[in-house]
Amino acid sequence: MITAKNIHKRFGQVEILKGVDIQVERGQVVSIVGASGAGKTTLLHILGTLDSMTPVEGSSLIINGIDVKKLSANKLAQFRNEQIGFIFQFHQLLPEFTALENVCIPAFIKGTSRVKAVDRAKELLDYLGLSHRLDHKPDMLSGGEQQRVAVARALMNQPSVIFADEPSGNLDSESAQQLHQLFFTLRDAFQQTFVIVTHNNDLAQMADKTFTMQDGRIA
Ligand SMILES: Nc1ncnc2c1ncn2[C@@H]1O[C@H](COP(=O)(O)OP(=O)(O)OP(=O)(O)O)[C@@H](O)[C@H]1O
Ligand SMILES: [Mg+2]
């Protein structure tokens, strides 16, 4: 699903990623762990095409068979919308929109009809146990509910892979555990692939594969 080779990232003179190789198969839940400042978020943003790598010889990033370096800016935005989902530590839901509307947004960007988008969003929110929260705005939801809305939003366009950066970092331990369980349920039900940056040992232990980052490299 993802083959990343020799990923480098330099900010000015400082080399933050020093040649990272990562392979992720379809339906795997992969975790990335490591000390603060090791480069986990930087790597996740590059894998998720939110940020570009510093070009060096032999570097490549293939996601679902697509060489993302070869995509124009427009095609890359479309690729990201259709193939990639994101879950962040702080839900990043739009405050003035309801749960249902927030989940619909990726489909609206894709050009899905309103009726189809709303149907799928309701189905997802129902699946995630939130059918009674459709019209709630983010500040009327608990932290765990906000993150489940973010999960529904990430799933909306049936992405090839979902990237999550400390998705349970802001949750109490019970909500965190439920969220982690949900990732594995989604993997088992839909073969959904996840790449998750986490400081949570339980989640890292449950993952099919764990990459430990140390000073810009996979240890
Ligand atoms: N835009 C930027 N410009 C300059 N330096 C940056 C930039 N983004 C990140 N860095 C630096 O890159 C290093 C790695 O940052 P990154 O956010 O990837 O770490 P992390 O492993 O996610 O840490 P944490 O666990 O604290 O989230 C840090 O030293 C950080 O200061
Ligand atoms: Mg980080």
Side-chain angles (χ1 to χ4, degrees), residues 28-103:
Q28 276 188 333
V29 178
V30 166
S31 68
I32 300 176
V33 301
S36 182
K40 304 181 297 295
T41 296
T42 305
L43 176 64
L44 200 76
H45 285 183
I46 290 173
L47 297 177
T49 76
L50 289 173
D51 195 359
S52 57
M53 64 180 107
T54 302
V56 301
E57 204 165 317
S59 64
S60 68
L61 175 58
I62 314 286
I63 301 176
N64 201 19
I66 306 285
D67 183 345
V68 301
K69 276 206 295 195
K70 294 202 171 131
L71 298 176
S72 64
N74 278 343
K75 286 280 177 207
L76 185 62
Q78 185 185 353
F79 175 83
R80 196 184 301 122
N81 171 246
E82 294 180 2
Q83 306 250 6
I84 295 178
F86 292 99
I87 302 166
F88 301 97
Q89 177 172 0
F90 303 99
H91 55 77
Q92 309 277 14
L93 300 170
L94 297 175
E96 65 274 34
F97 290 98
T98 66
L100 183 66
E101 289 164 342
N102 267 285
V103 175

Side-chain angles (χ1 to χ4, degrees), residues 76-181:
L76 185 62
Q78 185 185 353
F79 175 83
R80 196 184 301 122
N81 171 246
E82 294 180 2
Q83 306 250 6
I84 295 178
F86 292 99
I87 302 166
F88 301 97
Q89 177 172 0
F90 303 99
H91 55 77
Q92 309 277 14
L93 300 170
L94 297 175
E96 65 274 34
F97 290 98
T98 66
L100 183 66
E101 289 164 342
N102 267 285
V103 175
C104 283
I105 287 169
F108 292 156
I109 292 170
K110 186 179 170 184
T112 307
S113 75
R114 184 164 193 92
V115 174
K116 270 197 181 156
V118 168
D119 273 359
R120 174 155 173 82
K122 281 185 176 162
E123 200 178 283
L124 284 169
L125 286 165
D126 186 37
Y127 185 83
L128 299 179
L130 290 168
S131 48
H132 57 312
R133 295 284 186 266
L134 301 185
D135 297 323
H136 284 53
K137 293 189 176 166
D139 66 357
M140 292 150 46
L141 298 168
S142 72
E145 288 172 338
Q146 288 168 348
Q147 279 309 56
R148 278 184 284 146
V149 174
V151 171
R153 178 183 57 182
L155 287 165
M156 187 65 190
N157 288 343
Q158 297 179 280
S160 303
V161 51
I162 292 179
F163 293 99
D165 195 354
E166 295 284 349
S168 56
N170 201 30
L171 299 180
D172 63 81
S173 60
E174 193 184 328
S175 303
Q177 211 176 7
Q178 284 173 4
L179 184 68
H180 300 159
Q181 195 50 58

